[in-house]
Amino acid sequence: MSNQNPYLRPKNIRQALEGMTLSINPAEAKDLTAIIQFKVSGEGGGDYYLTIADRKCAFAVGTAPSPTLTIETPADVWLKIARKETNGAIALMTGKYKGSGKTGLLMKMDKIFSRQATEAELIEKGWL
């Protein structure tokens, strides 16, 4: 989305992943219960996961015991996806990152995480 305010874009991989909690679309996540594990390499890399339940999303650092979906990605690739500089589906198809488990969830992520965080929410997090 080129019209997105550049100051609202994530500055690093942790902010990109934690920021996904602010962009969950409750209507799209209404019947979803899932854990998405991220295994991130490169700058800011590590293990992070999102837990989706009851139309809400929570962020955690570490390894989830039984993830629904695992995404292995370089930090710079996922950061470009989060900033809308790269199409996530094309990045997956061209091998820039990998998914395992219920990979059908990957195809739904654009809709599930389609709400744009507000400037007030980002200020509350201390990101602006």
Side-chain angles (χ1 to χ4, degrees), residues 24-96:
I24 191 145
N25 181 330
E28 294 292 337
K30 64 182 175 191
D31 297 323
L32 181 61
T33 300
I35 298 172
I36 304 172
Q37 177 74 56
F38 289 86
K39 294 186 172 294
V40 182
S41 60
E43 188 175 336
D47 293 321
Y48 308 95
Y49 64 95
L50 300 173
T51 302
I52 303 169
D54 300 320
R55 300 178 187 224
K56 294 180 183 165
C57 183
F59 170 82
V61 176
T63 304
S66 299
T68 310
L69 168 67
T70 299
I71 296 172
E72 295 178 54
T73 183
D76 63 329
V77 170
W78 200 264
L79 196 53
K80 286 178 183 175
I81 292 168
R83 291 176 175 166
K84 309 289 187 212
E85 296 168 358
T86 296
N87 179 290
I90 292 172
L92 176 65
M93 289 186 284
T94 57
K96 297 202 188 307

